[in-house]
Amino acid sequence: FQYLKRFEQGCDLDTFWYEALSVEGSPAECLQLFLLHCGIVDPSWAELRNFTWFLNIQLRDCEASVFCNPNFVRDTLNGF
């Protein structure tokens, strides 16, 4: 949710890191963003769960990768 919220606001996601245990927004806002970005018109709860699970795995791996760390790559892969 933290990434999707910042994406919607047009923030630079290259320098953002997930903030564990922080609470942002309401449950309704969270669900609205998931419905907007999951890519299915009328998703089931299972499809929403799979979308959030997959997105979470991808973002966690991205944060762990040195190739996505702005301190490591500097501006060589800007926007990648």
Side-chain angles (χ1 to χ4, degrees):
F1 173 73
Q2 293 176 12
Y3 273 97
L4 289 177
K5 182 177 178 181
R6 283 161 181 77
F7 176 76
E8 282 293 309
Q9 295 171 344
C11 297
D12 180 14
L13 298 178
D14 291 341
T15 58
F16 175 72
W17 294 96
Y18 168 70
E19 299 170 28
L21 303 177
S22 70
V23 177
E24 295 183 15
S26 67
E29 183 183 11
C30 181
L31 182 58
Q32 183 180 20
L33 278 178
F34 288 160
L35 289 169
L36 182 65
H37 290 282
C38 77
I40 300 172
V41 175
D42 188 19
S44 67
W45 286 110
E47 290 167 326
L48 280 176
R49 184 213 171 269
N50 289 338
F51 167 71
T52 57
W53 175 78
F54 178 76
L55 184 62
N56 186 52
I57 296 282
Q58 295 298 308
L59 292 171
R60 186 182 64 211
D61 289 348
C62 179
E63 284 187 353
S65 172
V66 295
F67 297 106
C68 296
N69 184 334
N71 296 324
F72 177 73
V73 296
R74 305 280 186 244
D75 61 354
T76 59
L77 298 174
N78 193 15
F80 178 68

